[in-house]
Amino acid sequence: MRHAGSSIRPHRQRPSSSHDQTCQHQETAMPRVLVALAIGAFAIGSTEFAVIGLLPQIAAGLDVTIPAVGLLITAYAIGVMLGAPTLTALSSRWTTRQTLIGLMGVFIVGNALSSVAPSYGVLMAARVITALAHGSFFGVGAIAARRTVAPERATRAISLMFLGLTISNVVGVPGATWLGQHFGWRIVFAVIAVIGVLTMVAVRAWLPDDDIRIDLRAELGAFRRRSVWFGLGVTTIGFGSLFAVYSYISPIMTDLAGVSENGVTLVLVFFGLGTTAGALLGGWAGDRWGMKAVAVGLAVVALLLALFTITSHNSVTATITLVAFGTVAFALGPIVQNRIIEAAGTGGSMVSAANQGAFNVANAIGAAGGAYVIKAGFGLTGTMWVGVLLASSGAVMVSYSLLRDRRRNSALAPLKAQKVLVS
């Protein structure tokens, strides 16, 4: 069963009866396969954002400044961008299951090393090692998720995998903060490494080893497609709006909305619940409307952020707006991820992984834009206007692409009709 964007190379031929049994097995095992991938996404999401809640503990434990610990976040983002295409390319000789198990092995090593790091430099290196597996796991995992279902349900399959990432914002990050405060920050990375082991076991048990391997030539060839670069551009620009605001959500809620520091944790839990609902909503909307949902969604994000400049001065209205913003923004991720894979044609794994790198570029652009307007004297509401600009730009990009495709199809329609009459 080969879907668009899978970029697969069968290692050996099978009789049709065996193929049918494989498809039936995949349909039966589908929920468990997606659970295994979601567990891995949960572990990755937890380790990515755990440092944010552990800044004081890590700084005190390693005798460094909080800004120095903050650089660990930047190092992780760099690791994702480097590892996404590199490890995906290096795994071309492995099957999908072998690749995901190997990537989780790298993830486990990085977190285990983080838990025993004797110095700041070692912890920095460990965080980069951990991040190397991030983009490739999501990229290859998205391909594996799509293979378990019919093409018309592909976005929903990806959204179920991404559900692990959104749940990490609800459970993983607050849980990591609590563990770090009561038992020390090192135990957090040790626990995440254990979750990585559980992921490895689940993938080994539940993901059928169909002997499908990446065709590296097709993977690299996918980057010649303009539609692929367009999709990466939408991710980079459009999703920068999310990070322009989310990066500064704690001071926004405390300084503008008047929420206590303890109250911010509860607000983030509500935000995480919204993003979880958004991931599920996005899977359904993507399979139904495709990129049209992204164009509308980015426009709604821009409107919500403009509204946030007003509602952010009250704790209740700020929380409601923030949750709505998170719900819509996170609904768009699985849709764009699936579109990137489809645009790649026969080369989807590296493009899918590269899109995870694009998310991290969006993170950097959004956070940097927010920092610039704050330093320029526009205050915390300035971050929201940066988000409005980025989301609006993304909406215009997608709308223009949809309009161009519509005009092209209209121009080709008479030719297709004539061809049918002649035949």
Side-chain angles (χ1 to χ4, degrees):
M1 180 167 58
R2 178 173 178 166
H3 297 162
S6 59
S7 181
I8 55 178
R9 183 175 70 243
H11 189 61
R12 60 175 179 269
Q13 297 294 327
R14 301 183 180 186
S16 58
S17 59
S18 175
H19 178 75
D20 294 339
Q21 291 174 0
T22 301
C23 292
Q24 292 172 1
H25 176 69
Q26 285 183 335
E27 291 297 329
T28 302
M30 181 188 67
R32 296 195 303 176
V33 170
L34 296 179
V35 167
L37 295 173
I39 294 172
F42 175 83
I44 291 173
S46 296
T47 200
E48 179 180 13
F49 299 113
V51 171
I52 296 175
L54 299 173
L55 289 177
Q57 289 79 19
I58 296 176
L62 296 178
D63 194 24
V64 295
T65 65
I66 287 181
V69 178
L71 289 176
L72 295 175
I73 301 173
T74 304
Y76 189 94
I78 293 173
V80 173
M81 289 185 283
L82 292 176
T86 304
L87 292 192
T88 304
L90 291 176
S91 65
S92 61
R93 295 181 177 273
W94 297 354
T95 66
T96 302
R97 187 170 72 176
Q98 291 170 340
T99 297
L100 291 172
I101 290 174
L103 291 170
M104 198 46 56
V106 174
F107 176 84
I108 292 167
V109 169
N111 278 287
L113 184 57
S114 296
S115 69
V116 298
S119 65
Y120 174 77
V122 174
L123 181 59
M124 176 74 77
R127 291 295 290 167
V128 173
I129 291 172
T130 304
L132 290 175
H134 180 128
S136 190
F137 184 89
F138 275 105
V140 176
I143 297 291
R146 293 177 88 253
R147 287 192 197 131
T148 65
V149 298
E152 61 270 17
R153 294 176 61 87
T155 310
R156 267 172 280 192
I158 293 175
S159 72
L160 289 174
M161 174 190 172
F162 277 45
L163 199 61
L165 181 62
T166 60
I167 291 176
S168 72
N169 285 322
V170 183
V171 179
V173 176
T177 302
W178 183 87
L179 273 177
Q181 291 172 345
H182 291 82
F183 300 99
W185 61 270
R186 295 181 184 276
I187 192 67
V188 173
F189 295 111
V191 169
I192 293 174
V194 171
I195 299 175
V197 173
L198 293 176
T199 302
M200 184 182 287
V201 172
V203 168
R204 176 66 179 81
W206 295 339
L207 182 65
D209 195 9
D210 49 17
D211 216 11
I212 293 174
R213 303 166 193 261
I214 292 173
D215 185 340
L216 189 56
R217 180 176 297 179
E219 295 288 339
L220 294 175
F223 286 96
R224 299 193 189 102
R225 296 172 177 254
R226 285 187 294 179
S227 56
V228 166
W229 287 104
F230 171 79
L232 295 175
V234 170
T235 296
T236 303
I237 301 300
F239 287 91
S241 61
L242 169 65
F243 298 106
V245 175
Y246 185 67
S247 301
Y248 304 96
I249 197 59
S250 291
I252 287 173
M253 296 307 295
T254 54
D255 297 354
L256 296 184
V259 176
S260 66
E261 290 187 0
N262 291 331
V264 171
T265 301
L266 182 60
V267 170
L268 291 177
V269 170
F270 285 133
F271 179 81
L273 290 172
T275 62
T276 301
L280 292 173
L281 176 65
W284 172 79
D287 286 333
R288 188 176 180 87
W289 293 298
M291 290 300 286
K292 293 179 182 178
V294 176
V296 174
L298 287 173
V300 172
V301 166
L303 291 174
L304 286 171
L305 290 180
L307 179 64
F308 199 29
T309 62
I310 301 172
T311 61
S312 60
H313 297 281
N314 176 275
S315 60
V316 175
T317 57
T319 301
I320 293 173
T321 308
L322 182 64
V323 171
F325 161 63
T327 301
V328 178
F330 272 75
L332 308 180
I335 305 175
V336 176
Q337 187 77 27
N338 187 57
R339 182 67 188 95
I340 284 282
I341 296 171
E342 290 179 342
T346 57
S349 294
M350 285 189 68
V351 166
S352 181
N355 196 46
Q356 295 301 310
F359 274 114
N360 281 268
V361 176
N363 190 340
I365 290 175
Y372 177 81
V373 295
I374 292 174
K375 290 180 180 179
F378 293 98
L380 290 167
T381 54
T383 64
M384 303 165 199
W385 290 116
V386 171
V388 170
L389 176 63
L390 292 171
S392 299
S393 299
V396 170
M397 290 173 63
V398 178
S399 298
Y400 172 76
S401 175
L402 291 171
L403 181 61
R404 184 185 60 186
D405 290 343
R406 183 177 178 181
R407 289 177 176 174
R408 181 182 301 166
N409 292 334
S410 297
L412 292 175
L415 296 177
K416 292 180 179 179
Q418 184 179 6
K419 184 177 181 180
V420 170
L421 290 174
V422 171
S423 61

